[in-house]
Amino acid sequence: MPGMLYLCATPIGNLGDMTPRVVETLQSVDLIAAEDTRNSIKLLNHFGIRTSMTSYHEYNKVEKADYLVEQMRQGKNVALISDAGTPAISDPGEVLVQKCQGAGITVTSLPGPAACITALTLSGLSARRFCFEGFLPSDKKEKAQILAELKEESRTILIYEAPHRLVRTLGELYGALGDRRVTLCRELTKRFETILPTTFGEALSYYEREEPRGEYVLVVEGKSLRQKEEERQASWQSMTIEEHMAFYEEGGMDSKTAMKQVAKDRGMAKREIYAVIHGAGMQ
Ligand code: SAM
């Protein structure tokens, strides 16, 4: 019988958040694959877990996943833990899960802490529709593309950031998205947990005086439908009626439908649009 992979979520700060099921699983598996064995040993010692550990991180994830899959094929049960929180959420895990699926090995997940969900619930921003961005890419071109996509995003956006890059990221978000509401969630579940509902502009002035410290999740308000509509209106206002008609016709609309749409966009009557295009008095 092959073994199984258990994805085990571990605390993001407060050890009281370790679930009994994760403790039992870490005690009973044959091997724990940990992102940072030096950090995880403290967690395991705290809970009296003596299972042996092996490292599984960003830089060995491909070869190590093959090794772990082989162990499971031979009947061993393996648990995966990341440095903190839920494995595979901005942490290595994905590759191992894919390889297990490819090898027909059962994977199960033991849910628990994740900084993004904890932050979302505390943000005071809409939790009805949200998207998780994780860390913004460091590559300039890739980042510019993601920021352009985020500008139009109407769902609440969750972003991870390290303290030394916080100000730069807030500045880049401000530049790309304009000023928006953002809730800065710092040191979640820890002694100095701080939730700061603010805006990009205010946050940037605040961090001119204060040095960012600790771990952060940024919860950014999505673009509102009203904002989208205002932008749409503004773009029509900079066009002439002829340009506005051409915009729809070049997009494949017939002229009758385009005229109806232009009239609707501009809050005008169809005959007024007709008069401009065909010259007044020709109706
Ligand atoms: N797997 C983790 C999870 O489930 O949230 C995320 C790991 S990712 C490498 C680390 C980032 O998560 C940090 O840079 C920070 O943005 C966020 N994070 C982790 N713990 C946090 C905490 N206690 N408070 C605020 N943010 C935290």
Side-chain angles (χ1 to χ4, degrees), residues 73-92:
R73 271 193 212 275
Q74 290 174 17
K76 295 215 168 111
N77 286 316
V78 175
L80 177 66
I81 57 177
S82 65
D83 201 9
T86 301
I89 301 297
S90 291
D91 267 335

Side-chain angles (χ1 to χ4, degrees), residues 10 12-14 35 82-92 113-117 119 132 135 159-163 165 185-190 214-218:
T10 55
I12 54 170
N14 190 325
E35 187 186 8
S82 65
D83 201 9
T86 301
I89 301 297
S90 291
D91 267 335
C116 49
I117 297 299
F132 176 63
F135 292 98
I159 297 174
Y160 282 167
E161 196 46 285
R165 284 195 303 257
C185 302
R186 177 181 162 265
E187 293 288 87
L188 293 164
T189 77
K190 300 184 198 176
E215 300 192 274
Y216 286 85
V217 182
L218 280 60

Side-chain angles (χ1 to χ4, degrees), residues 164-184:
H164 62 281
R165 284 195 303 257
L166 181 76
V167 172
R168 195 178 69 194
T169 297
L170 284 170
E172 287 167 347
L173 286 164
Y174 190 4
L177 279 59
D179 210 3
R180 288 262 182 106
R181 287 168 72 198
V182 57
T183 302
L184 303 178

Side-chain angles (χ1 to χ4, degrees), residues 28-216:
S28 65
V29 291
D30 301 292
L31 186 60
I32 299 173
E35 187 186 8
D36 184 336
T37 50
R38 278 171 311 173
N39 247 349
S40 294
I41 192 71
K42 295 178 209 150
L43 181 80
L44 299 194
N45 285 342
H46 181 87
F47 289 99
I49 298 162
R50 303 269 168 263
T51 311
S52 52
M53 260 197 296
T54 185
S55 71
Y56 174 79
H57 50 69
E58 196 51 38
Y59 305 101
N60 72 357
K61 62 184 181 187
V62 178
E63 321 84 77
K64 202 55 178 275
D66 290 331
Y67 166 79
L68 292 168
V69 166
E70 191 46 40
Q71 296 297 302
M72 288 179 266
R73 271 193 212 275
Q74 290 174 17
K76 295 215 168 111
N77 286 316
V78 175
L80 177 66
I81 57 177
S82 65
D83 201 9
T86 301
I89 301 297
S90 291
D91 267 335
E94 222 172 273
V95 172
L96 184 56
V97 172
Q98 281 163 7
K99 289 201 181 241
C100 284
Q101 285 175 346
I105 287 166
T106 307
V107 183
T108 191
S109 180
L110 282 65
C116 49
I117 297 299
T118 311
L120 176 68
T121 58
L122 288 169
S123 69
L125 296 172
S126 171
R128 197 173 73 81
R129 294 174 65 240
F130 61 91
C131 64
F132 176 63
E133 192 53 51
F135 292 98
L136 291 177
S138 47
D139 177 79
K140 270 191 179 168
K141 210 170 142 195
E142 215 183 316
K143 192 193 293 184
Q145 193 186 329
I146 299 275
L147 287 172
E149 284 174 25
L150 292 182
K151 182 175 188 288
E152 300 308 318
E153 179 57 67
S154 59
R155 294 170 294 180
T156 300
I157 306 159
L158 304 170
I159 297 174
Y160 282 167
E161 196 46 285
H164 62 281
R165 284 195 303 257
L166 181 76
V167 172
R168 195 178 69 194
T169 297
L170 284 170
E172 287 167 347
L173 286 164
Y174 190 4
L177 279 59
D179 210 3
R180 288 262 182 106
R181 287 168 72 198
V182 57
T183 302
L184 303 178
C185 302
R186 177 181 162 265
E187 293 288 87
L188 293 164
T189 77
K190 300 184 198 176
R191 185 159 166 225
F192 296 108
E193 175 176 286
T194 318
I195 308 302
L196 182 63
T198 180
T199 61
F200 290 139
E202 280 173 11
L204 283 165
S205 330
Y206 177 79
Y207 285 111
E208 267 172 25
R209 303 185 303 272
E210 300 285 329
E211 192 192 337
R213 280 176 207 276
E215 300 192 274
Y216 286 85

